């Protein structure tokens, strides 16, 4: 595979899977101590990666789950954020400015802070009540964060008696690192073609629904915009028909992500509409990826993880095709802001 280190990938995703048992113990202890809600409080891309787990709890559990922006909470606070709150703060670097500032505020409130970081010797690596370290870099962090947050959500549901097959789901998830590598290998021949469609236009509408909507939002903002300087319009598939559809014409690129959860029909609605008006619709559908031994229930849970793993392959080709390394920035962490 182009510019890809297979052993490194397996080590990183295996590291995320290895955190499951300890995450489960910490969640159990928090609930036993009387936790009343959970907040997923990441910044930027890391925040987006928490959305599928928060959504799972909001729709399948009666345990209150919130997702908010640290930059806003620092200024406003929240009536629901108390000493009985569980705080999940992801940051690959462990140094994200807004998250570090919020951490001090969480300490004052007395909330229990779980930090998910890539480096231990950092403010968030040192400052959490429960610190989970799994080294990763930009090209491998999505799957790692998706998995860790999913483990947290499933653990809450398990200990509240809201899920009866936790052990079976966990066993399937522990097989993912190797299966994801197989998905990458199988998709590699298609990755260059998809990348060529991204490179062929300087503007893309990118959409999805359910737990893959965050993947669409993340890829548009954090990869195409930040790392490739390609303008995008991420829009949820249900909102597509309330404004964005008027931007569609035969020369407008539309990228559609399709997952396998209950919200798939919203993506299919876009898929059925758009071909009559644009010649440039491209679909990325997780149902096309083979995952031997993985149940449909788990496939639905991991659709954003599957997208992340093939999008990395697409991005690897895109940066070469455009002669624009994914590490190139003009402003991000380069100038004061």
């Amino acid at each position: 595979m182009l510019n890809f280190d297979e052993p490194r990938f397996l080590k990183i995703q295996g590291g995320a899977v290895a955190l499951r048992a300890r995450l489960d113990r910490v969640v159990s202890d928090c609930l036993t101590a009387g936790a009343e809600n959970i907040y997923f409080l990441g910044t930027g891309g890391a925040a987006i990666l928490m959305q599928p787990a928060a959504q799972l709890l909001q729709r399948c559990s009666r345990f209150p789950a919130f997702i908010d922006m640290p930059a806003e909470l620092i200024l406003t606070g929240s009536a629901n954020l108390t000493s009985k709150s569980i705080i999940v703060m992801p940051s690959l670097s462990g140094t994200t400015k807004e998250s570090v500032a919020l951490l001090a505020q969480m300490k004052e409130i007395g909330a229990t802070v779980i930090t998910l970081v890539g480096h231990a010797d950092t403010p968030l690596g040192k400052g959490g009540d429960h610190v989970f370290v799994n080294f990763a870099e930009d090209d491998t962090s999505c799957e790692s964060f998706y998995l860790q947050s999913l483990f947290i959500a499933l653990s809450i549901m398990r200990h509240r008696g809201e899920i009866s097959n936790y052990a079976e789901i966990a066993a399937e998830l522990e097989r993912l690192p190797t299966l994801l590598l197989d998905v990458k290998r199988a998709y590699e021949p298609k990755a260059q073609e998809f990348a060529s469609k991204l490179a062929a236009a300087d503007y893309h509408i990118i959409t999805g629904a359910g737990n893959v909507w965050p993947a669409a939002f993340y890829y548009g903002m954090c990869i195409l915009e930040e790392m490739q300087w390609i303008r995008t319009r991420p829009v949820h598939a249900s909102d597509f028909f309330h404004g964005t559809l008027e931007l569609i014409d035969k020369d407008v690129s539309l990228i559609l992500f399709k997952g396998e959860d209950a919200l798939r029909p919203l993506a299919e609605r876009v898929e059925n509409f758009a071909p009559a008006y644009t010649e440039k619709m491209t679909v990325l559908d997780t149902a096309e990826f083979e995952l031997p031994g993985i149940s449909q229930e788990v496939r639905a849970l991991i659709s954003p993880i599957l997208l992340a793993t093939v999008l990395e392959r697409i991005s690897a080709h895109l940066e070469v095709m455009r002669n624009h390394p994914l590490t190139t920035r003009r402003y991000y962490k380069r100038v004061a802001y």
Side-chain angles (χ1 to χ4, degrees):
M1 288 185 280
L2 177 67
N3 295 336
F4 187 72
D5 186 332
E6 294 189 7
R8 171 175 164 269
F9 176 79
L10 288 174
K11 181 178 180 180
I12 290 169
Q13 306 316 326
V17 166
L19 296 175
R20 180 193 61 80
R22 184 171 157 238
L23 283 166
D24 185 56
R25 290 194 298 271
V26 168
V27 167
S28 177
D29 290 344
C30 289
L31 294 176
T32 300
E36 295 178 349
N37 58 43
I38 185 168
Y39 274 77
F40 292 91
L41 299 177
T43 298
I48 297 171
L49 299 174
M50 299 293 105
Q51 289 183 15
Q55 183 187 95
L56 177 64
L57 287 171
Q58 289 165 350
R59 292 183 173 157
C60 299
S61 173
R62 293 186 66 83
F63 191 72
F66 302 91
I67 189 161
D68 212 328
M69 293 184 176
E72 293 194 354
L73 279 181
I74 291 169
L75 299 175
T76 65
S78 170
N80 291 297
L81 207 164
T82 72
S83 61
K84 295 293 187 180
S85 297
I86 303 169
I87 309 299
V88 178
M89 300 186 75
S91 171
L92 184 60
S93 69
T95 63
T96 309
K97 181 172 65 174
E98 297 91 336
S99 297
V100 171
L102 185 65
L103 177 64
Q105 196 174 97
M106 296 303 95
K107 294 289 190 179
E108 293 178 6
I109 291 171
T112 299
V113 179
I114 297 171
T115 58
L116 312 176
V117 298
H119 306 275
D121 191 21
T122 59
L124 291 176
K126 295 177 178 178
D129 296 302
H130 305 280
V131 178
F132 291 82
V133 182
N134 186 45
F135 171 79
E137 293 177 297
D138 286 340
D139 61 334
T140 52
S141 63
C142 290
E143 297 97 327
S144 176
F145 277 141
Y146 276 138
L147 277 168
Q148 292 175 65
S149 58
L150 178 58
F151 288 144
I152 291 170
L154 290 171
S155 182
I156 288 172
M157 294 168 65
R158 172 197 185 189
H159 292 293
R160 288 175 49 83
E162 295 170 329
I163 189 170
S164 60
N165 59 339
Y166 173 87
E168 292 80 2
I169 292 174
E172 291 188 35
L173 292 175
E174 288 180 357
R175 298 180 54 216
L176 267 189
T178 300
L179 290 174
L180 291 175
L181 183 56
D182 290 341
V183 169
K184 284 181 181 290
R185 288 171 177 156
Y187 191 77
E188 182 72 7
K190 300 178 182 178
Q192 185 172 7
E193 179 184 358
F194 198 112
S196 68
K197 294 178 180 179
L198 293 175
D202 58 5
Y203 168 73
H204 303 275
I205 295 172
I206 182 168
T207 189
N211 63 7
V212 302
W213 155 240
F217 184 18
Y218 181 95
Y219 196 70
M221 184 178 80
C222 297
I223 308 301
L224 295 184
E225 291 183 344
E226 178 190 320
M227 299 183 183
Q228 287 294 292
W229 307 347
I230 295 174
R231 293 173 176 83
T232 71
R233 168 62 165 104
V235 59
H236 194 286
S238 65
D239 287 334
F240 178 86
F241 293 97
H242 296 274
T244 307
L245 80 169
E246 288 295 335
L247 297 177
I248 293 293
D249 64 35
K250 66 183 180 67
D251 295 319
V252 170
S253 171
L254 174 64
I255 309 298
L256 173 64
F257 291 171
K258 294 177 68 178
E260 297 173 65
D261 65 5
L263 283 301
R264 184 178 174 91
L266 295 178
E268 291 173 337
R269 184 185 180 200
V270 176
E271 186 177 27
N272 292 334
F273 166 85
Y277 305 99
T278 179
E279 298 173 358
K280 296 183 179 181
M281 182 175 77
T282 309
V283 179
L284 193 55
D285 185 355
T286 66
E288 297 178 359
F289 308 144
E290 293 187 11
L291 288 173
I294 301 300
S295 65
Q296 188 55 49
E297 178 183 10
V298 171
R299 287 189 67 107
L301 290 173
I302 64 171
S303 292
I305 302 175
L306 292 173
L307 284 177
T309 218
V310 299
L311 286 166
E312 180 276 326
R313 289 290 76 217
I314 292 167
S315 299
H317 286 272
L318 183 63
E319 69 172 345
V320 172
M321 196 173 294
R322 300 185 73 242
N323 192 28
H324 186 129
L326 295 168
T327 54
T328 300
R329 306 287 190 280
R330 286 180 291 190
Y331 314 119
Y332 183 67
K333 295 185 178 180
R334 297 285 193 271
V335 300
Y337 50 83

